[in-house]
Amino acid sequence: MYSGNRSGGQGSWEGGGAAGSEGPALAGTLRRGPLFSPGTYERLALLLGSLALLGVGSNLLVLVLYCKFQRLRTPLHLLLVNISLSDLLVSLCGVTFAFVSCLRNGWVWDALGCAWDGFSSSLFEKSSSHKCMCDAF
């Protein structure tokens, strides 16, 4: 992992020198390679894509069944629908950023995309876990 200092690391400084060496380049940024091999990124993309499809499909099924059958419209089932909606949003919003990044062999989003990915995943997962606590009581 990259430690943030110039005394070592896995990358090389812009200008061709090794990390920590003094060369003709200005003190710049570290140019890092991919964290995993391309095959690992492909496997991660396959896993994330499968999880996203499974999550979207199963949660959409819950929502459709709730809307279709009148007898399922009870307060307890409404809590389960809320959990399903939160999980659907995690599957759509949370997995998308990581899936695209795995397809491109590294994080491709800027700081705003990183902040949105963390915020949306955290928000939807917290709302889902809080609804599970309501179900427990």
Side-chain angles (χ1 to χ4, degrees):
M1 275 202 136
Y2 173 62
S3 65
N5 61 15
R6 289 187 64 181
S7 62
Q10 296 177 348
S12 64
W13 287 90
E14 291 180 7
S21 69
E22 299 301 325
L26 298 172
T29 59
L30 182 65
R31 194 176 58 231
R32 297 188 302 173
L35 187 60
F36 300 114
S37 69
T40 304
Y41 277 115
E42 289 173 3
R43 286 185 212 104
L44 286 172
L46 179 66
L47 177 69
L48 286 171
S50 301
L51 287 174
L53 288 175
L54 184 66
V56 168
S58 61
N59 289 308
L60 277 177
L61 179 66
V62 168
L63 295 174
V64 166
L65 290 175
Y66 180 79
C67 292
K68 186 174 181 178
F69 295 107
Q70 186 73 26
R71 67 175 184 240
L72 292 177
R73 296 185 187 168
T74 64
L76 178 61
H77 287 118
L78 183 60
L79 286 172
L80 296 175
V81 165
N82 286 332
I83 292 171
S84 181
L85 183 63
S86 296
D87 290 342
L88 177 66
L89 290 172
V90 168
S91 296
L92 289 175
C93 297
V95 177
T96 306
F97 286 91
F99 177 70
V100 170
S101 295
C102 284
L103 289 177
R104 298 204 179 167
N105 294 340
W107 188 254
V108 295
W109 309 102
D110 59 355
L112 184 63
C114 183
W116 171 251
D117 181 42
F119 172 75
S120 64
S121 294
S122 177
L123 176 70
F124 301 142
E125 289 171 5
K126 291 270 188 210
S127 64
S128 178
S129 64
H130 287 200
K131 289 178 187 108
C132 285
M133 288 185 334
C134 291
D135 287 346
F137 291 107

